[in-house]
Amino acid sequence: SVDGLYKVTEELANEFNKTEIYNKLKQERQLFDSQFSKKIDGKKKPKVLILMGLPGSYLAAGEKSYVGNLVKLAGGENIIKSKEEFSQLNLETALSEQPDFILRTAHAMPDNVNEMFKKEFENNKSWSHFDAVKNNKVIDLDSSMFGMTATYDYQKGLESLYSIFYSN
C-alpha cells in the first residue's frame, strides 16, 4: 500500500539519518493527497473489479493489494471484499456485483498477459454479461504503474484512475 511504502521509507530514513529527505517526501504526499481528495470529493464511487494477470492465469485483486489500494484512494469501490491481497475470482459473484469498470494489469510479461486477457474475454461468454464489458469499460492498466508493489509513481497511478473513473 501507499501507507506501507511511506512507513518503510520512514523506518529507513530513521535508520540512516535521512529524516530530512523523508520529511520532504511526507510533505509532498500531504499536499498531493489534500488536492486529490478535493478533486474526488462528492463524485460517485465507481464499482471496480481488478484482475491481476500472470502468464496463464489471473487473480482478483482485493483492497489490500497495491492496485486495490490505489483504486480505493481514487474513490473506487472494489467489489472483491477478500481480506487477502489476491484471491480466486468467482465469476457468478462478480457478475452479481456488476462492476462499472474491470481493470486488468499484469504481474509479469505484460504482452503475454494482455493477450491472455483478450482471449479469455473473447472465449469465455460469461464476461459478455458484465455491464463493464457491454459499455467498453474494460481497461488494461499500465503494469509499470499498477504492479505488485507500491512505488513513488503512485500519484501518476491515481491521476490515471481519476481520468478513467471520472472523465466520462
Side-chain angles (χ1 to χ4, degrees), residues 87-157:
S87 59
Q88 293 297 321
L89 178 66
N90 180 316
L91 272 173
E92 286 181 34
T93 302
L95 183 59
S96 71
E97 290 288 330
Q98 279 300 347
D100 300 305
F101 293 92
I102 298 174
L103 305 179
R104 307 184 302 197
T105 190
H107 171 55
M109 301 173 63
D111 293 338
N112 294 357
V113 168
N114 288 340
E115 185 61 29
M116 176 204 63
F117 275 136
K118 182 180 171 200
K119 287 179 182 172
E120 166 69 13
F121 276 64
E122 287 172 358
N123 298 329
N124 185 340
K125 298 303 176 200
S126 296
W127 291 109
S128 67
H129 300 290
F130 282 81
D131 290 344
V133 173
K134 294 175 192 172
N135 297 326
N136 294 315
K137 303 258 178 154
V138 178
I139 312 293
D140 289 323
L141 299 173
D142 180 346
S143 61
S144 68
M145 255 191 296
F146 297 94
M148 292 289 284
T149 57
T151 70
Y152 281 98
D153 278 346
Y154 79 92
Q155 294 174 352
K156 290 179 189 174

Side-chain angles (χ1 to χ4, degrees), residues 77-93:
E77 177 191 339
N78 193 332
I79 68 163
I80 301 300
K81 305 300 183 202
S82 171
K83 294 187 184 338
E84 304 296 321
E85 289 182 45
F86 300 97
S87 59
Q88 293 297 321
L89 178 66
N90 180 316
L91 272 173
E92 286 181 34
T93 302

Side-chain angles (χ1 to χ4, degrees), residues 22-104:
Y22 171 74
N23 288 334
K24 184 177 182 220
L25 285 171
K26 187 176 163 185
Q27 286 175 338
E28 289 169 0
R29 179 187 182 190
Q30 289 168 338
L31 177 61
F32 176 83
D33 287 355
S34 172
Q35 292 170 340
F36 193 80
S37 291
K38 287 176 188 168
K39 222 162 90 161
I40 65 171
D41 189 42
K43 297 203 180 292
K44 180 184 178 286
K45 290 180 177 256
K47 290 170 59 174
V48 182
L49 169 62
I50 309 161
L51 303 176
M52 176 62 75
L54 307 137
S57 68
Y58 59 90
L59 296 168
E63 209 171 84
K64 289 191 175 192
S65 69
Y66 173 56
V67 68
N69 180 232
L70 289 181
V71 164
K72 180 180 180 179
L73 293 173
E77 177 191 339
N78 193 332
I79 68 163
I80 301 300
K81 305 300 183 202
S82 171
K83 294 187 184 338
E84 304 296 321
E85 289 182 45
F86 300 97
S87 59
Q88 293 297 321
L89 178 66
N90 180 316
L91 272 173
E92 286 181 34
T93 302
L95 183 59
S96 71
E97 290 288 330
Q98 279 300 347
D100 300 305
F101 293 92
I102 298 174
L103 305 179
R104 307 184 302 197

